[in-house]
Amino acid sequence: MSRLIFVLNGPNLNLLGKRQPHIYGRDTLADVEAQCRSEAGGLGIDIRFHQSNREYEIIDWIHEARETASGIIINPAAFSHTSVAILDALNAFDQPVIEVHISNIHKREAFRHHSYVSTRADGVIAGFGTQGYTLALRRLARLLDAAT
Ligand code: DQA
């Protein structure tokens, strides 16, 4: 089994660090990628790290992950609450999926309390700030180790 994990980020996360820092903090997405690469190195995992504001690009990366990856970490951002298409793509992916939200979506507006992706995710991390990504990587490494 490959030790390749896709880390996918949805709309507006390119603005991380500048956008609503009282909610999402001051780390940029480049900081998050560096944290993930450092953690993944220690766990013996390769990562592909992507962000897009376009739903179809996220779907295409999930399709690519079907062929190559042993897990997906996804922060679908606002698409969590709207996208049946991303849910369908994840339902066609047979390996573990961890959903990450930087903020605690359950503490926020009611429209953020439902996530289509959560109906597929094997685990959900919300409200741990950007640390949620490295926690998700550790969980996937544990699952990979258990499967080999
Ligand atoms: C988010 C929470 C979503 O509700 C929001 O639309 C985002 C970011 C988070 O990481 O906390 O863009 O996914």
Side-chain angles (χ1 to χ4, degrees):
M1 191 176 277
S2 84
R3 286 182 75 85
L4 177 64
I5 302 295
F6 275 43
V7 184
L8 303 179
N9 294 279
N12 301 304
L13 289 169
N14 54 310
L15 296 179
L16 201 62
K18 297 173 213 139
R19 162 203 189 207
Q20 297 180 283
H22 56 291
I23 296 175
Y24 300 114
R26 296 262 173 212
D27 286 351
T28 65
L29 198 63
D31 294 332
V32 175
E33 179 171 358
Q35 288 157 17
C36 285
R37 291 201 179 283
S38 166
E39 188 78 26
L43 294 166
I45 283 176
D46 292 326
I47 61 169
R48 300 272 180 284
F49 194 98
H50 296 297
Q51 186 276 331
S52 183
N53 297 323
R54 299 171 189 83
E55 193 174 19
Y56 77 88
E57 280 192 313
I58 295 167
I59 293 165
D60 286 349
W61 286 322
I62 296 168
H63 292 177
E64 193 185 323
R66 266 170 61 81
E67 310 297 326
T68 54
S70 295
I72 294 176
I73 295 168
I74 184 165
N75 183 347
F79 289 150
S80 319
H81 318 300
T82 62
S83 181
V84 175
I86 289 176
L87 170 62
D88 283 350
L90 289 169
N91 277 330
F93 178 76
D94 292 332
Q95 305 293 334
V97 173
I98 310 275
E99 178 181 0
V100 172
H101 297 284
I102 296 164
S103 65
N104 180 0
I105 54 175
H106 301 289
K107 199 178 167 187
R108 300 182 63 194
E109 303 96 319
F111 66 83
R112 295 184 203 276
H113 296 177
H114 177 263
S115 163
Y116 286 100
V117 170
S118 294
T119 68
R120 161 63 182 91
D122 298 287
V124 181
I125 296 173
F128 285 72
T130 57
Q131 190 190 1
Y133 289 82
T134 51
L135 295 174
L137 271 173
R138 284 164 62 177
R139 174 65 182 158
L140 283 181
R142 173 78 65 92
L143 292 176
L144 275 174
D145 291 345
T148 50

